[in-house]
Amino acid sequence: MKKSINYFLVLAFIGLMSVAAEANILPNGDFEADPPDQFWNSGTGGNGVVDFSYNDGYLRTDAASDHADIISDKFSASATTYNYSFEYSVDNFSSDDLAGLFQLRFFDSSGSFLGEEDVDLADTGSSTITASGSASAPAGTSSADIRVSLGVFNDFTGDLIIDNILIEADLWIITQPEGVLANEGDDVSFTAEAGSASGDTPSYQWYKSADSTIGGEDDQLLTGETAATLAISDVTSADTGFYYCEAAVNSSTITTNAAFLSFGDLVAHWSMDEADVAGSDPNYYSDLTGNGHSANIEQSVPVNFVDGVVTGDQDIENLKPNGAVEIDHLAGTANARTFDPAAESGEWSVSLWLNWNDTGLDSGYNNLWSKRDGWGFDSMQYMVHVYDEWDGAVIMETSGGGWIGTGGSAITPGQWHHLVITYDSSQRAEIWLDSELEAENDNYVMGTKSDSTFWVARNDSTAEWFDGAIDDFKVFNYSLSDKDIYDLYYDETGFRRCLEEQRPEADQNGDCVVDFVDFSLLAEEWLNDGNYTPQAF
């Protein structure tokens, strides 16, 4: 690939590599970080070269024969107007080439594109020039990024050097408050930080809201809460809600996002008992939490109720008449509309009991539940299924995203199993079967469609339904702990698990109980003397 850079141009850039203004909102806009590609990544188009290592301290793209673009990580964009400037040099290899392109792009809180500011990068020959301007963020903007493109949107063929990209505003949010899942009695806090182009320290004022909408009529100004950190001690249910902060410098004000404070809780519960089905035909599985997340039952075929395992008597053999649903094609399948248990917390867990028939689906995908409207990263979050072709492996997967699964034959056909899948705010996913951790993934990436349909016993494909029975479907808005999972399993089986941190030191036979058996084992060693007896030398 042809490379064309004049040495005096490189020297000119070395002289210009001053530290960008302290007010720069863009991380590593001067490419001085080590490595220089921190907060930047190759774009979505082209196969050219984006070269951060050519000379530390600036970005160079070489698109002599191919196309290339580069995109910054998204940064918080809470201001209404942004000023930008950058230094660049473009060397076209053909006189009829179009310009390169610099873009400041804006997105809403879900990551959807809202608009952009475009700057054509015309041929500068051997000169380095500075471009500057301002852009208004569209309403609803939550984040922004920078995209530099050569040839992805045009027929450019040449080289580009760019440096000292500066994005600033009169006032902007540096740190957004983060949502908190708490227990009653906890001490919690929210922190916000704003920056200003003047360098003056902003003042702060906190508000409480019943929902995530900012500026509602019922929003409550929290008198005296004027520090960057809002502390709430001994949390009660009256403290739950949303909190946001307004920052001000001189005549400029800006508001953070609203952050939730809620208790980790069971947010939907479908018992799958015939007694808890409501409506006509029947119409839906009732949500026993009272949160209104009923699951609408497929109406084209009748529901087949069978004996369920969940009775709460710690006896797995004692079944409950008509306490579970046998899924057969669409019979018994349901959807809870766009229910998203992780909407506030970024976490969720599902607990259910299943009994797989293993009669062999044409698709092989025995879907237990899913959040999807199609098989694509932007049309789903995930789906969970028992996979026929792996003889009963439990798998959660996302198209173009995460994957986690147990080994084959994890599910025994014709036997009730307790399944729990957890997902936390760090993107850690776990699969538990019968209170044993079977699979884990520390970086499970869910799809982006948070408003996709929550399907029970199927997904959007009518050919991918669960071949078996389901009982006691519970959904939580937080990641269950190992002890939570042990408790759920104990409720139905009476099985008590030994926790190593609680194992008695005198336990001799490994049953986690000190009793007469352990005493007998100790007695077998009674008066045994392990001291060395010296021999005549």
PDB file of all heavy atoms in Angstrom, residues 199-211:
ATOM      1  N   GLY A 199     -13.967  27.043  33.649  1.00  0.00           N
ATOM      2  CA  GLY A 199     -13.176  26.525  34.748  1.00  0.00           C
ATOM      3  C   GLY A 199     -13.790  26.787  36.106  1.00  0.00           C
ATOM      4  O   GLY A 199     -13.257  26.341  37.130  1.00  0.00           O
ATOM      5  N   ASP A 200     -14.917  27.513  36.152  1.00  0.00           N
ATOM      6  CA  ASP A 200     -15.598  27.771  37.422  1.00  0.00           C
ATOM      7  C   ASP A 200     -16.224  26.490  37.953  1.00  0.00           C
ATOM      8  O   ASP A 200     -16.662  25.623  37.184  1.00  0.00           O
ATOM      9  CB  ASP A 200     -16.690  28.829  37.244  1.00  0.00           C
ATOM     10  CG  ASP A 200     -16.122  30.190  36.870  1.00  0.00           C
ATOM     11  OD1 ASP A 200     -14.936  30.427  37.193  1.00  0.00           O
ATOM     12  OD2 ASP A 200     -16.839  30.987  36.246  1.00  0.00           O
ATOM     13  N   THR A 201     -16.295  26.370  39.272  1.00  0.00           N
ATOM     14  CA  THR A 201     -16.886  25.191  39.895  1.00  0.00           C
ATOM     15  C   THR A 201     -18.407  25.285  39.848  1.00  0.00           C
ATOM     16  O   THR A 201     -18.980  26.275  40.317  1.00  0.00           O
ATOM     17  CB  THR A 201     -16.428  25.068  41.351  1.00  0.00           C
ATOM     18  OG1 THR A 201     -15.000  24.967  41.383  1.00  0.00           O
ATOM     19  CG2 THR A 201     -17.046  23.835  42.007  1.00  0.00           C
ATOM     20  N   PRO A 202     -19.089  24.292  39.301  1.00  0.00           N
ATOM     21  CA  PRO A 202     -20.547  24.354  39.221  1.00  0.00           C
ATOM     22  C   PRO A 202     -21.191  24.214  40.601  1.00  0.00           C
ATOM     23  O   PRO A 202     -20.623  23.635  41.527  1.00  0.00           O
ATOM     24  CB  PRO A 202     -20.903  23.152  38.334  1.00  0.00           C
ATOM     25  CG  PRO A 202     -19.636  22.768  37.646  1.00  0.00           C
ATOM     26  CD  PRO A 202     -18.550  23.116  38.600  1.00  0.00           C
ATOM     27  N   SER A 203     -22.381  24.748  40.741  1.00  0.00           N
ATOM     28  CA  SER A 203     -23.225  24.476  41.905  1.00  0.00           C
ATOM     29  C   SER A 203     -24.158  23.325  41.546  1.00  0.00           C
ATOM     30  O   SER A 203     -24.415  23.045  40.370  1.00  0.00           O
ATOM     31  CB  SER A 203     -24.040  25.713  42.285  1.00  0.00           C
ATOM     32  OG  SER A 203     -24.916  26.087  41.226  1.00  0.00           O
ATOM     33  N   TYR A 204     -24.690  22.635  42.563  1.00  0.00           N
ATOM     34  CA  TYR A 204     -25.510  21.456  42.333  1.00  0.00           C
ATOM     35  C   TYR A 204     -26.812  21.541  43.129  1.00  0.00           C
ATOM     36  O   TYR A 204     -26.850  22.124  44.215  1.00  0.00           O
ATOM     37  CB  TYR A 204     -24.751  20.187  42.747  1.00  0.00           C
ATOM     38  CG  TYR A 204     -23.485  19.945  41.961  1.00  0.00           C
ATOM     39  CD1 TYR A 204     -22.248  20.350  42.447  1.00  0.00           C
ATOM     40  CD2 TYR A 204     -23.537  19.325  40.711  1.00  0.00           C
ATOM     41  CE1 TYR A 204     -21.084  20.128  41.729  1.00  0.00           C
ATOM     42  CE2 TYR A 204     -22.386  19.102  39.973  1.00  0.00           C
ATOM     43  CZ  TYR A 204     -21.155  19.514  40.493  1.00  0.00           C
ATOM     44  OH  TYR A 204     -20.019  19.299  39.765  1.00  0.00           O
ATOM     45  N   GLN A 205     -27.853  20.956  42.593  1.00  0.00           N
ATOM     46  CA  GLN A 205     -29.131  20.812  43.287  1.00  0.00           C
ATOM     47  C   GLN A 205     -29.759  19.480  42.891  1.00  0.00           C
ATOM     48  O   GLN A 205     -29.928  19.205  41.701  1.00  0.00           O
ATOM     49  CB  GLN A 205     -30.093  21.954  42.937  1.00  0.00           C
ATOM     50  CG  GLN A 205     -31.480  21.809  43.549  1.00  0.00           C
ATOM     51  CD  GLN A 205     -31.448  21.773  45.075  1.00  0.00           C
ATOM     52  OE1 GLN A 205     -30.969  22.707  45.714  1.00  0.00           O
ATOM     53  NE2 GLN A 205     -31.926  20.674  45.665  1.00  0.00           N
ATOM     54  N   TRP A 206     -30.105  18.651  43.893  1.00  0.00           N
ATOM     55  CA  TRP A 206     -30.678  17.334  43.633  1.00  0.00           C
ATOM     56  C   TRP A 206     -32.202  17.370  43.684  1.00  0.00           C
ATOM     57  O   TRP A 206     -32.803  18.152  44.424  1.00  0.00           O
ATOM     58  CB  TRP A 206     -30.163  16.320  44.661  1.00  0.00           C
ATOM     59  CG  TRP A 206     -28.752  15.915  44.416  1.00  0.00           C
ATOM     60  CD1 TRP A 206     -27.628  16.495  44.941  1.00  0.00           C
ATOM     61  CD2 TRP A 206     -28.301  14.864  43.557  1.00  0.00           C
ATOM     62  NE1 TRP A 206     -26.499  15.876  44.465  1.00  0.00           N
ATOM     63  CE2 TRP A 206     -26.878  14.850  43.613  1.00  0.00           C
ATOM     64  CE3 TRP A 206     -28.942  13.930  42.748  1.00  0.00           C
ATOM     65  CZ2 TRP A 206     -26.108  13.957  42.900  1.00  0.00           C
ATOM     66  CZ3 TRP A 206     -28.179  13.027  42.034  1.00  0.00           C
ATOM     67  CH2 TRP A 206     -26.787  13.040  42.114  1.00  0.00           C
ATOM     68  N   TYR A 207     -32.810  16.481  42.868  1.00  0.00           N
ATOM     69  CA  TYR A 207     -34.261  16.347  42.792  1.00  0.00           C
ATOM     70  C   TYR A 207     -34.628  14.870  42.873  1.00  0.00           C
ATOM     71  O   TYR A 207     -33.841  13.991  42.506  1.00  0.00           O
ATOM     72  CB  TYR A 207     -34.805  16.913  41.479  1.00  0.00           C
ATOM     73  CG  TYR A 207     -34.639  18.408  41.307  1.00  0.00           C
ATOM     74  CD1 TYR A 207     -33.418  18.947  40.903  1.00  0.00           C
ATOM     75  CD2 TYR A 207     -35.704  19.269  41.547  1.00  0.00           C
ATOM     76  CE1 TYR A 207     -33.262  20.322  40.735  1.00  0.00           C
ATOM     77  CE2 TYR A 207     -35.554  20.648  41.376  1.00  0.00           C
ATOM     78  CZ  TYR A 207     -34.340  21.154  40.977  1.00  0.00           C
ATOM     79  OH  TYR A 207     -34.183  22.515  40.808  1.00  0.00           O
ATOM     80  N   LYS A 208     -35.861  14.619  43.323  1.00  0.00           N
ATOM     81  CA  LYS A 208     -36.416  13.270  43.308  1.00  0.00           C
ATOM     82  C   LYS A 208     -37.644  13.258  42.406  1.00  0.00           C
ATOM     83  O   LYS A 208     -38.447  14.196  42.417  1.00  0.00           O
ATOM     84  CB  LYS A 208     -36.803  12.808  44.715  1.00  0.00           C
ATOM     85  CG  LYS A 208     -37.325  11.365  44.741  1.00  0.00           C
ATOM     86  CD  LYS A 208     -37.811  10.959  46.130  1.00  0.00           C
ATOM     87  CE  LYS A 208     -38.347   9.522  46.084  1.00  0.00           C
ATOM     88  NZ  LYS A 208     -38.983   9.139  47.367  1.00  0.00           N
ATOM     89  N   SER A 209     -37.781  12.151  41.645  1.00  0.00           N
ATOM     90  CA  SER A 209     -38.903  12.011  40.719  1.00  0.00           C
ATOM     91  C   SER A 209     -39.519  10.632  40.869  1.00  0.00           C
ATOM     92  O   SER A 209     -38.841   9.670  41.249  1.00  0.00           O
ATOM     93  CB  SER A 209     -38.421  12.214  39.277  1.00  0.00           C
ATOM     94  OG  SER A 209     -39.450  11.946  38.342  1.00  0.00           O
ATOM     95  N   ALA A 210     -40.809  10.548  40.565  1.00  0.00           N
ATOM     96  CA  ALA A 210     -41.487   9.250  40.638  1.00  0.00           C
ATOM     97  C   ALA A 210     -41.121   8.359  39.466  1.00  0.00           C
ATOM     98  O   ALA A 210     -41.275   7.132  39.537  1.00  0.00           O
ATOM     99  CB  ALA A 210     -42.995   9.439  40.693  1.00  0.00           C
ATOM    100  N   ASP A 211     -40.633   8.947  38.376  1.00  0.00           N
ATOM    101  CA  ASP A 211     -40.253   8.166  37.199  1.00  0.00           C
ATOM    102  C   ASP A 211     -39.003   8.771  36.590  1.00  0.00           C
ATOM    103  O   ASP A 211     -38.418   9.711  37.131  1.00  0.00           O
ATOM    104  CB  ASP A 211     -41.400   8.097  36.181  1.00  0.00           C
ATOM    105  CG  ASP A 211     -41.905   9.473  35.775  1.00  0.00           C
ATOM    106  OD1 ASP A 211     -41.080  10.402  35.659  1.00  0.00           O
ATOM    107  OD2 ASP A 211     -43.125   9.627  35.581  1.00  0.00           O
TER     108      ASP A 211
END
